[in-house]
Amino acid sequence: MPINTLEYAKLFQTELDKQVAQQATSGWMESNAGQVKYNGGDEIKIPDIVVQGLADYDRDNGFNQGSVTFKYQTHTLTQDRGRTFQLDAMDVDETNFGTTAANVMSEFQRLHVIPEIDAYRYSKLAALAADAGNSGTYTPDEADILDKLYDDIFAIAGRGVDLANMVISISYPAYQVLTKNSQLQKKLDVTQFGQGGINLTVKSLEGIPLVPVVASRMKSAYVFNDGSTAGQTAGGFVPDADAKDINWIISSRNTPIGISKTDVVRIFDPQTNQKANAWKLDYRKYHDLIVPDNKLATVQVSLGA
Protein backbone atom coordinates (compact mmCIF):
# COMPACT_ATOMS: atom_id res chain seq x y z
CA MET A 1 0.00 0.00 0.00
CA PRO A 2 1.40 3.47 -0.88
CA ILE A 3 2.71 5.46 2.06
CA ASN A 4 0.29 8.06 3.48
CA THR A 5 2.43 11.17 3.09
CA LEU A 6 -0.32 13.44 4.43
CA GLU A 7 -0.43 11.62 7.76
CA TYR A 8 3.36 11.69 7.99
CA ALA A 9 3.33 15.44 7.30
CA LYS A 10 0.81 16.05 10.10
CA LEU A 11 2.82 13.91 12.52
CA PHE A 12 6.10 15.63 11.64
CA GLN A 13 4.53 19.06 12.00
CA THR A 14 3.26 18.32 15.53
CA GLU A 15 6.48 16.69 16.69
CA LEU A 16 8.72 19.40 15.24
CA ASP A 17 6.81 22.13 17.09
CA LYS A 18 7.07 20.11 20.31
CA GLN A 19 10.81 19.67 19.82
CA VAL A 20 11.33 23.45 19.62
CA ALA A 21 9.28 24.08 22.76
CA GLN A 22 11.21 21.44 24.72
CA GLN A 23 14.78 21.89 23.47
CA ALA A 24 15.13 25.61 22.83
CA THR A 25 16.54 27.39 25.88
CA SER A 26 13.88 30.02 25.18
CA GLY A 27 11.17 27.36 24.91
CA TRP A 28 9.51 28.63 28.12
CA MET A 29 8.49 31.78 26.21
CA GLU A 30 6.06 29.72 24.13
CA SER A 31 3.85 29.05 27.15
CA ASN A 32 2.81 32.72 26.89
CA ALA A 33 1.31 32.08 23.46
CA GLY A 34 -1.63 30.10 24.84
CA GLN A 35 -4.22 32.72 23.88
CA VAL A 36 -2.64 33.56 20.54
CA LYS A 37 -4.79 32.74 17.53
CA TYR A 38 -2.98 31.24 14.55
CA ASN A 39 -4.75 30.01 11.45
CA GLY A 40 -1.75 29.54 9.15
CA GLY A 41 0.25 32.09 7.20
CA ASP A 42 2.28 34.90 8.72
CA GLU A 43 -0.34 36.55 10.94
CA ILE A 44 -1.28 35.96 14.56
CA LYS A 45 -3.87 37.62 16.77
CA ILE A 46 -3.12 38.47 20.40
CA PRO A 47 -5.92 39.36 22.85
CA ASP A 48 -5.83 42.88 24.27
CA ILE A 49 -8.02 43.49 27.32
CA VAL A 50 -8.55 46.95 28.83
CA VAL A 51 -10.63 47.40 32.02
CA GLN A 52 -11.35 50.46 34.12
CA GLY A 53 -10.16 50.78 37.72
CA LEU A 54 -12.01 50.74 41.02
CA ALA A 55 -14.67 53.30 41.87
CA ASP A 56 -16.50 54.19 45.09
CA TYR A 57 -19.46 52.07 46.11
CA ASP A 58 -22.60 54.08 46.78
CA ARG A 59 -24.98 52.64 49.41
CA ASP A 60 -27.99 54.09 47.65
CA ASN A 61 -27.07 53.65 43.98
CA GLY A 62 -24.79 50.66 44.30
CA PHE A 63 -21.95 50.02 41.87
CA ASN A 64 -20.55 52.43 39.32
CA GLN A 65 -20.55 50.85 35.88
CA GLY A 66 -17.13 49.87 34.57
CA SER A 67 -16.15 49.17 30.98
CA VAL A 68 -14.32 46.23 29.48
CA THR A 69 -12.74 46.43 26.05
CA PHE A 70 -11.71 43.11 24.51
CA LYS A 71 -10.12 43.04 21.09
CA TYR A 72 -7.43 41.19 19.16
CA GLN A 73 -4.27 42.87 17.93
CA THR A 74 -2.97 41.49 14.65
CA HIS A 75 0.79 40.94 14.38
CA THR A 76 2.75 39.87 11.33
CA LEU A 77 5.42 37.27 12.06
CA THR A 78 8.71 38.67 10.84
CA GLN A 79 10.66 35.41 10.46
CA ASP A 80 9.58 33.34 7.46
CA ARG A 81 12.22 30.63 7.00
CA GLY A 82 12.37 27.34 5.14
CA ARG A 83 14.41 24.63 3.43
CA THR A 84 13.81 21.70 1.12
CA PHE A 85 15.64 18.35 1.33
CA GLN A 86 15.81 15.31 -0.93
CA LEU A 87 16.35 11.69 0.11
CA ASP A 88 17.39 9.49 -2.79
CA ALA A 89 14.95 6.71 -3.56
CA MET A 90 17.80 4.15 -3.64
CA ASP A 91 18.62 5.01 -0.02
CA VAL A 92 15.09 5.31 1.31
CA ASP A 93 12.03 3.21 0.54
CA GLU A 94 8.53 3.12 2.00
CA THR A 95 9.54 0.73 4.78
CA ASN A 96 12.12 3.03 6.32
CA PHE A 97 10.99 6.43 5.05
CA GLY A 98 9.27 7.46 8.28
CA THR A 99 12.27 6.76 10.50
CA THR A 100 14.81 8.27 8.10
CA ALA A 101 12.81 11.43 7.38
CA ALA A 102 12.07 11.94 11.09
CA ASN A 103 15.79 11.65 11.91
CA VAL A 104 16.73 14.13 9.16
CA MET A 105 14.16 16.72 10.23
CA SER A 106 14.95 16.27 13.92
CA GLU A 107 18.68 16.80 13.34
CA PHE A 108 17.97 19.80 11.11
CA GLN A 109 15.95 21.41 13.86
CA ARG A 110 18.42 20.51 16.63
CA LEU A 111 21.48 21.80 14.80
CA HIS A 112 20.06 24.77 12.91
CA VAL A 113 16.46 25.76 13.62
CA ILE A 114 16.47 25.74 17.42
CA PRO A 115 19.75 27.72 17.77
CA GLU A 116 18.44 30.29 15.28
CA ILE A 117 15.13 30.71 17.11
CA ASP A 118 16.98 31.15 20.42
CA ALA A 119 19.37 33.69 18.89
CA TYR A 120 16.57 35.69 17.32
CA ARG A 121 14.54 35.81 20.53
CA TYR A 122 17.40 36.87 22.78
CA SER A 123 18.68 39.50 20.35
CA LYS A 124 15.19 40.96 19.95
CA LEU A 125 14.65 41.07 23.71
CA ALA A 126 17.99 42.84 24.10
CA ALA A 127 17.09 45.37 21.39
CA LEU A 128 13.68 46.09 22.91
CA ALA A 129 15.17 46.52 26.39
CA ALA A 130 17.87 48.85 25.06
CA ASP A 131 15.26 50.97 23.23
CA ALA A 132 13.30 51.21 26.48
CA GLY A 133 16.39 52.27 28.43
CA ASN A 134 16.50 49.02 30.40
CA SER A 135 20.02 47.85 29.61
CA GLY A 136 23.57 48.49 30.72
CA THR A 137 27.07 47.41 29.77
CA TYR A 138 29.32 45.34 31.99
CA THR A 139 32.36 43.08 31.67
CA PRO A 140 31.79 40.06 33.94
CA ASP A 141 34.22 39.96 36.83
CA GLU A 142 34.21 37.43 39.65
CA ALA A 143 34.58 40.14 42.28
CA ASP A 144 31.38 42.05 41.55
CA ILE A 145 29.23 39.97 39.19
CA LEU A 146 26.81 38.91 41.93
CA ASP A 147 26.28 42.53 42.94
CA LYS A 148 25.66 43.53 39.30
CA LEU A 149 23.17 40.71 38.87
CA TYR A 150 21.32 41.75 42.04
CA ASP A 151 21.23 45.35 40.80
CA ASP A 152 19.37 44.22 37.67
CA ILE A 153 17.09 41.89 39.61
CA PHE A 154 15.96 44.67 41.92
CA ALA A 155 15.74 47.13 39.05
CA ILE A 156 12.80 45.23 37.56
CA ALA A 157 11.51 44.26 41.01
CA GLY A 158 11.16 48.00 41.57
CA ARG A 159 8.97 48.13 38.47
CA GLY A 160 6.50 45.68 39.97
CA VAL A 161 7.82 42.22 39.04
CA ASP A 162 7.84 39.62 41.83
CA LEU A 163 11.05 37.65 42.23
CA ALA A 164 8.98 34.45 42.07
CA ASN A 165 7.89 35.41 38.54
CA MET A 166 11.35 36.18 37.11
CA VAL A 167 13.59 34.16 34.79
CA ILE A 168 17.30 34.82 34.22
CA SER A 169 18.71 33.73 30.84
CA ILE A 170 22.48 33.91 31.26
CA SER A 171 25.29 33.22 28.81
CA TYR A 172 27.67 30.42 29.73
CA PRO A 173 30.71 32.74 29.92
CA ALA A 174 28.90 34.99 32.42
CA TYR A 175 27.52 31.93 34.22
CA GLN A 176 31.04 30.54 34.58
CA VAL A 177 32.25 33.78 36.15
CA LEU A 178 29.19 33.92 38.38
CA THR A 179 29.68 30.40 39.75
CA LYS A 180 33.23 31.30 40.81
CA ASN A 181 31.94 34.04 43.10
CA SER A 182 32.58 32.95 46.69
CA GLN A 183 29.29 34.41 47.96
CA LEU A 184 27.13 32.65 45.41
CA GLN A 185 27.24 29.08 46.69
CA LYS A 186 25.37 30.04 49.87
CA LYS A 187 22.57 31.52 47.78
CA LEU A 188 22.08 28.89 45.06
CA ASP A 189 19.27 26.36 45.18
CA VAL A 190 17.97 23.72 42.77
CA THR A 191 14.52 24.18 41.29
CA GLN A 192 12.19 22.63 38.73
CA PHE A 193 11.68 24.72 35.62
CA GLY A 194 8.89 23.67 33.28
CA GLN A 195 8.77 24.23 29.53
CA GLY A 196 7.14 22.43 26.64
CA GLY A 197 5.43 19.92 28.95
CA ILE A 198 8.65 18.74 30.63
CA ASN A 199 10.39 19.74 33.86
CA LEU A 200 14.04 20.73 33.84
CA THR A 201 16.28 20.85 36.90
CA VAL A 202 18.16 24.15 37.03
CA LYS A 203 20.00 26.29 39.56
CA SER A 204 18.12 29.22 41.06
CA LEU A 205 19.07 32.45 42.81
CA GLU A 206 16.53 33.82 45.30
CA GLY A 207 14.11 31.35 43.72
CA ILE A 208 14.73 32.77 40.24
CA PRO A 209 15.65 30.07 37.67
CA LEU A 210 19.06 30.52 36.02
CA VAL A 211 18.86 29.26 32.43
CA PRO A 212 22.37 28.96 30.89
CA VAL A 213 22.61 29.68 27.16
CA VAL A 214 25.53 29.04 24.80
CA ALA A 215 27.35 32.26 23.93
CA SER A 216 26.70 31.96 20.19
CA ARG A 217 22.98 32.49 20.83
CA MET A 218 23.48 35.46 23.16
CA LYS A 219 24.45 38.36 20.89
CA SER A 220 22.71 41.70 20.55
CA ALA A 221 22.26 41.44 16.76
CA TYR A 222 22.50 38.82 14.01
CA VAL A 223 22.47 38.47 10.25
CA PHE A 224 20.04 35.76 9.19
CA ASN A 225 21.32 34.44 5.87
CA ASP A 226 18.83 34.31 3.00
CA GLY A 227 20.26 31.10 1.49
CA SER A 228 20.61 32.52 -2.03
CA THR A 229 22.93 35.54 -1.93
CA ALA A 230 26.63 34.87 -2.51
CA GLY A 231 28.23 34.10 0.84
CA GLN A 232 24.87 33.22 2.38
CA THR A 233 23.97 30.01 0.52
CA ALA A 234 24.66 27.85 3.58
CA GLY A 235 21.79 29.64 5.32
CA GLY A 236 21.68 29.91 9.09
CA PHE A 237 22.79 32.96 11.03
CA VAL A 238 25.94 34.79 12.14
CA PRO A 239 26.50 37.61 14.65
CA ASP A 240 26.30 41.09 13.20
CA ALA A 241 29.66 42.85 12.89
CA ASP A 242 28.63 45.37 15.57
CA ALA A 243 26.98 42.86 17.89
CA LYS A 244 27.71 42.88 21.62
CA ASP A 245 27.71 39.89 23.93
CA ILE A 246 24.63 39.52 26.10
CA ASN A 247 25.61 38.68 29.68
CA TRP A 248 22.08 38.03 30.89
CA ILE A 249 18.45 38.89 30.32
CA ILE A 250 16.12 39.12 33.31
CA SER A 251 12.40 39.22 32.60
CA SER A 252 9.03 38.43 33.99
CA ARG A 253 8.17 34.88 32.97
CA ASN A 254 4.90 35.95 31.31
CA THR A 255 6.38 38.87 29.33
CA PRO A 256 8.01 37.47 26.15
CA ILE A 257 5.56 35.75 23.81
CA GLY A 258 7.48 33.20 21.75
CA ILE A 259 5.73 32.16 18.55
CA SER A 260 7.03 29.16 16.61
CA LYS A 261 4.86 27.52 13.98
CA THR A 262 5.88 24.83 11.54
CA ASP A 263 3.46 26.21 8.99
CA VAL A 264 3.81 23.40 6.52
CA VAL A 265 5.68 20.14 6.05
CA ARG A 266 5.17 18.80 2.55
CA ILE A 267 6.27 15.34 1.47
CA PHE A 268 6.57 14.27 -2.17
CA ASP A 269 7.29 10.64 -3.02
CA PRO A 270 9.76 9.78 -5.82
CA GLN A 271 6.94 9.29 -8.34
CA THR A 272 5.57 12.77 -7.64
CA ASN A 273 8.87 14.63 -7.34
CA GLN A 274 9.58 15.94 -10.84
CA LYS A 275 13.17 17.00 -10.19
CA ALA A 276 14.72 13.73 -9.07
CA ASN A 277 14.03 10.11 -8.20
CA ALA A 278 13.97 11.05 -4.55
CA TRP A 279 11.72 11.79 -1.63
CA LYS A 280 11.34 15.56 -1.25
CA LEU A 281 10.73 17.23 2.12
CA ASP A 282 9.64 20.88 2.25
CA TYR A 283 9.93 22.62 5.63
CA ARG A 284 8.65 26.10 6.41
CA LYS A 285 8.83 27.81 9.79
CA TYR A 286 7.24 31.06 10.94
CA HIS A 287 8.50 32.43 14.23
CA ASP A 288 8.79 35.67 16.14
CA LEU A 289 9.02 37.18 19.61
CA ILE A 290 6.51 39.73 20.80
CA VAL A 291 6.64 41.90 23.93
CA PRO A 292 3.55 44.01 24.59
CA ASP A 293 4.39 47.69 25.01
CA ASN A 294 3.02 47.76 28.55
CA LYS A 295 5.45 44.99 29.60
CA LEU A 296 8.72 46.45 28.33
CA ALA A 297 9.54 47.60 31.86
CA THR A 298 9.68 43.96 32.99
CA VAL A 299 12.84 43.23 30.98
CA GLN A 300 16.39 44.13 32.03
CA VAL A 301 19.49 43.29 29.98
CA SER A 302 23.22 43.33 30.67
CA LEU A 303 25.43 43.68 27.59
CA GLY A 304 29.17 43.24 27.27
CA ALA A 305 31.20 46.42 27.25
Short mmCIF file of all heavy atoms in Angstrom, two decimals, residues 254-282:
data_model
loop_
_atom_site.label_atom_id
_atom_site.label_comp_id
_atom_site.label_asym_id
_atom_site.label_seq_id
_atom_site.Cartn_x
_atom_site.Cartn_y
_atom_site.Cartn_z
N ASN A 254 6.04 35.85 32.23
CA ASN A 254 4.90 35.95 31.31
C ASN A 254 5.01 37.12 30.34
O ASN A 254 4.04 37.47 29.69
CB ASN A 254 3.58 36.04 32.09
CG ASN A 254 3.54 37.24 33.03
OD1 ASN A 254 4.37 38.13 32.94
ND2 ASN A 254 2.58 37.24 33.93
N THR A 255 6.22 37.71 30.23
CA THR A 255 6.38 38.87 29.33
C THR A 255 6.65 38.48 27.88
O THR A 255 5.89 38.86 26.99
CB THR A 255 7.48 39.80 29.86
OG1 THR A 255 7.01 40.45 31.03
CG2 THR A 255 7.84 40.86 28.83
N PRO A 256 7.72 37.76 27.56
CA PRO A 256 8.01 37.47 26.15
C PRO A 256 7.06 36.41 25.59
O PRO A 256 6.89 35.35 26.20
CB PRO A 256 9.46 36.98 26.16
CG PRO A 256 9.69 36.47 27.54
CD PRO A 256 8.77 37.20 28.45
N ILE A 257 6.46 36.70 24.46
CA ILE A 257 5.56 35.75 23.81
C ILE A 257 6.32 35.13 22.64
O ILE A 257 6.56 35.79 21.62
CB ILE A 257 4.28 36.43 23.31
CG1 ILE A 257 3.55 37.10 24.49
CG2 ILE A 257 3.36 35.42 22.62
CD1 ILE A 257 2.35 37.92 24.06
N GLY A 258 6.74 33.89 22.81
CA GLY A 258 7.48 33.20 21.75
C GLY A 258 6.52 32.47 20.83
O GLY A 258 5.73 31.64 21.28
N ILE A 259 6.58 32.80 19.55
CA ILE A 259 5.73 32.16 18.55
C ILE A 259 6.62 31.32 17.63
O ILE A 259 7.59 31.82 17.08
CB ILE A 259 4.98 33.20 17.69
CG1 ILE A 259 4.29 34.24 18.57
CG2 ILE A 259 3.99 32.51 16.77
CD1 ILE A 259 3.18 33.73 19.41
N SER A 260 6.27 30.05 17.49
CA SER A 260 7.03 29.16 16.61
C SER A 260 6.06 28.20 15.96
O SER A 260 5.50 27.34 16.64
CB SER A 260 8.10 28.40 17.39
OG SER A 260 8.68 27.39 16.61
N LYS A 261 5.83 28.34 14.67
CA LYS A 261 4.86 27.52 13.98
C LYS A 261 5.49 26.87 12.75
O LYS A 261 5.99 27.57 11.86
CB LYS A 261 3.66 28.37 13.53
CG LYS A 261 2.89 29.02 14.68
CD LYS A 261 2.23 27.99 15.58
CE LYS A 261 1.44 28.65 16.69
NZ LYS A 261 0.84 27.65 17.60
N THR A 262 5.50 25.55 12.75
CA THR A 262 5.88 24.83 11.54
C THR A 262 4.68 24.90 10.61
O THR A 262 3.76 24.09 10.70
CB THR A 262 6.27 23.37 11.84
OG1 THR A 262 7.28 23.36 12.85
CG2 THR A 262 6.79 22.69 10.59
N ASP A 263 4.66 25.91 9.76
CA ASP A 263 3.46 26.21 8.99
C ASP A 263 3.11 25.08 8.03
O ASP A 263 1.95 24.78 7.83
CB ASP A 263 3.66 27.52 8.20
CG ASP A 263 2.39 27.95 7.49
OD1 ASP A 263 1.42 28.32 8.18
OD2 ASP A 263 2.36 27.90 6.24
N VAL A 264 4.12 24.48 7.45
CA VAL A 264 3.81 23.40 6.52
C VAL A 264 5.01 22.45 6.42
O VAL A 264 6.16 22.87 6.41
CB VAL A 264 3.45 23.95 5.11
CG1 VAL A 264 4.64 24.67 4.49
CG2 VAL A 264 2.97 22.84 4.19
N VAL A 265 4.71 21.16 6.42
CA VAL A 265 5.68 20.14 6.05
C VAL A 265 5.06 19.39 4.88
O VAL A 265 4.01 18.78 5.01
CB VAL A 265 5.96 19.16 7.21
CG1 VAL A 265 6.86 18.03 6.74
CG2 VAL A 265 6.61 19.89 8.38
N ARG A 266 5.70 19.48 3.74
CA ARG A 266 5.17 18.80 2.55
C ARG A 266 6.11 17.64 2.19
O ARG A 266 7.32 17.78 2.24
CB ARG A 266 5.07 19.76 1.37
CG ARG A 266 4.13 20.93 1.62
CD ARG A 266 3.80 21.67 0.34
NE ARG A 266 5.00 22.12 -0.36
CZ ARG A 266 4.98 22.75 -1.54
NH1 ARG A 266 3.83 22.98 -2.15
NH2 ARG A 266 6.11 23.15 -2.10
N ILE A 267 5.50 16.53 1.83
CA ILE A 267 6.27 15.34 1.47
C ILE A 267 5.84 14.89 0.07
O ILE A 267 4.65 14.70 -0.19
CB ILE A 267 6.02 14.19 2.47
CG1 ILE A 267 6.41 14.64 3.89
CG2 ILE A 267 6.81 12.95 2.06
CD1 ILE A 267 6.02 13.63 4.96
N PHE A 268 6.83 14.76 -0.82
CA PHE A 268 6.57 14.27 -2.17
C PHE A 268 7.32 12.96 -2.36
O PHE A 268 8.54 12.91 -2.12
CB PHE A 268 7.03 15.29 -3.22
CG PHE A 268 6.34 16.62 -3.10
CD1 PHE A 268 6.92 17.66 -2.38
CD2 PHE A 268 5.10 16.85 -3.70
CE1 PHE A 268 6.29 18.89 -2.26
CE2 PHE A 268 4.47 18.07 -3.59
CZ PHE A 268 5.06 19.10 -2.87
N ASP A 269 6.61 11.91 -2.79
CA ASP A 269 7.29 10.64 -3.02
C ASP A 269 8.05 10.70 -4.34
O ASP A 269 7.87 11.62 -5.14
CB ASP A 269 6.28 9.48 -3.00
CG ASP A 269 5.24 9.58 -4.09
OD1 ASP A 269 5.60 9.89 -5.24
OD2 ASP A 269 4.05 9.34 -3.80
N PRO A 270 8.93 9.74 -4.61
CA PRO A 270 9.76 9.78 -5.82
C PRO A 270 8.96 9.82 -7.12
O PRO A 270 9.45 10.36 -8.13
CB PRO A 270 10.59 8.50 -5.71
CG PRO A 270 10.67 8.22 -4.25
CD PRO A 270 9.35 8.65 -3.70
N GLN A 271 7.74 9.27 -7.12
CA GLN A 271 6.94 9.29 -8.34
C GLN A 271 6.33 10.67 -8.58
O GLN A 271 6.01 11.01 -9.72
CB GLN A 271 5.83 8.23 -8.23
CG GLN A 271 6.33 6.82 -8.06
CD GLN A 271 7.26 6.39 -9.18
OE1 GLN A 271 6.98 6.64 -10.36
NE2 GLN A 271 8.38 5.77 -8.82
N THR A 272 6.16 11.44 -7.52
CA THR A 272 5.57 12.77 -7.64
C THR A 272 6.62 13.84 -7.85
O THR A 272 6.40 14.83 -8.56
CB THR A 272 4.75 13.10 -6.38
OG1 THR A 272 3.81 12.04 -6.14
CG2 THR A 272 3.99 14.41 -6.53
N ASN A 273 7.77 13.66 -7.23
CA ASN A 273 8.87 14.63 -7.34
C ASN A 273 9.36 14.67 -8.79
O ASN A 273 9.86 13.69 -9.32
CB ASN A 273 10.01 14.21 -6.40
CG ASN A 273 11.16 15.21 -6.40
OD1 ASN A 273 11.10 16.25 -7.06
ND2 ASN A 273 12.20 14.87 -5.67
N GLN A 274 9.23 15.81 -9.43
CA GLN A 274 9.58 15.94 -10.84
C GLN A 274 11.06 16.26 -11.07
O GLN A 274 11.54 16.18 -12.20
CB GLN A 274 8.72 17.03 -11.50
CG GLN A 274 7.23 16.71 -11.48
CD GLN A 274 6.40 17.78 -12.16
OE1 GLN A 274 6.93 18.73 -12.72
NE2 GLN A 274 5.08 17.62 -12.12
N LYS A 275 11.78 16.61 -10.02
CA LYS A 275 13.17 17.00 -10.19
C LYS A 275 14.15 15.83 -10.07
O LYS A 275 15.24 15.87 -10.65
CB LYS A 275 13.55 18.08 -9.16
CG LYS A 275 12.90 19.43 -9.42
CD LYS A 275 13.45 20.49 -8.47
CE LYS A 275 12.89 21.87 -8.78
NZ LYS A 275 13.44 22.90 -7.88
N ALA A 276 13.77 14.82 -9.30
CA ALA A 276 14.72 13.73 -9.07
C ALA A 276 13.95 12.50 -8.60
O ALA A 276 12.81 12.59 -8.12
CB ALA A 276 15.76 14.14 -8.03
N ASN A 277 14.60 11.35 -8.73
CA ASN A 277 14.03 10.11 -8.20
C ASN A 277 14.36 10.06 -6.71
O ASN A 277 15.23 9.31 -6.26
CB ASN A 277 14.63 8.91 -8.94
CG ASN A 277 14.03 7.60 -8.45
OD1 ASN A 277 12.91 7.57 -7.93
ND2 ASN A 277 14.80 6.53 -8.59
N ALA A 278 13.65 10.89 -5.96
CA ALA A 278 13.97 11.05 -4.55
C ALA A 278 12.74 11.53 -3.80
O ALA A 278 11.84 12.16 -4.37
CB ALA A 278 15.11 12.07 -4.39
N TRP A 279 12.73 11.20 -2.51
CA TRP A 279 11.72 11.79 -1.63
C TRP A 279 12.07 13.26 -1.41
O TRP A 279 13.24 13.61 -1.23
CB TRP A 279 11.72 11.07 -0.28
CG TRP A 279 11.29 9.65 -0.35
CD1 TRP A 279 12.08 8.55 -0.59
CD2 TRP A 279 9.96 9.16 -0.18
NE1 TRP A 279 11.33 7.41 -0.58
CE2 TRP A 279 10.01 7.75 -0.33
CE3 TRP A 279 8.73 9.76 0.07
CZ2 TRP A 279 8.90 6.95 -0.22
CZ3 TRP A 279 7.61 8.96 0.19
CH2 TRP A 279 7.69 7.58 0.03
N LYS A 280 11.10 14.12 -1.42
CA LYS A 280 11.34 15.56 -1.25
C LYS A 280 10.58 16.04 -0.01
O LYS A 280 9.39 15.78 0.15
CB LYS A 280 10.86 16.33 -2.48
CG LYS A 280 11.20 17.82 -2.48
CD LYS A 280 10.84 18.43 -3.85
CE LYS A 280 11.22 19.90 -3.93
NZ LYS A 280 10.34 20.75 -3.09
N LEU A 281 11.30 16.71 0.87
CA LEU A 281 10.73 17.23 2.12
C LEU A 281 10.83 18.76 2.10
O LEU A 281 11.92 19.31 2.02
CB LEU A 281 11.49 16.70 3.33
CG LEU A 281 11.63 15.18 3.46
CD1 LEU A 281 12.53 14.84 4.63
CD2 LEU A 281 10.27 14.53 3.62
N ASP A 282 9.69 19.42 2.16
CA ASP A 282 9.64 20.88 2.25
C ASP A 282 9.31 21.27 3.69
O ASP A 282 8.36 20.75 4.28
CB ASP A 282 8.58 21.46 1.33
CG ASP A 282 8.95 21.36 -0.14
OD1 ASP A 282 10.12 21.06 -0.43
OD2 ASP A 282 8.07 21.58 -0.99
#
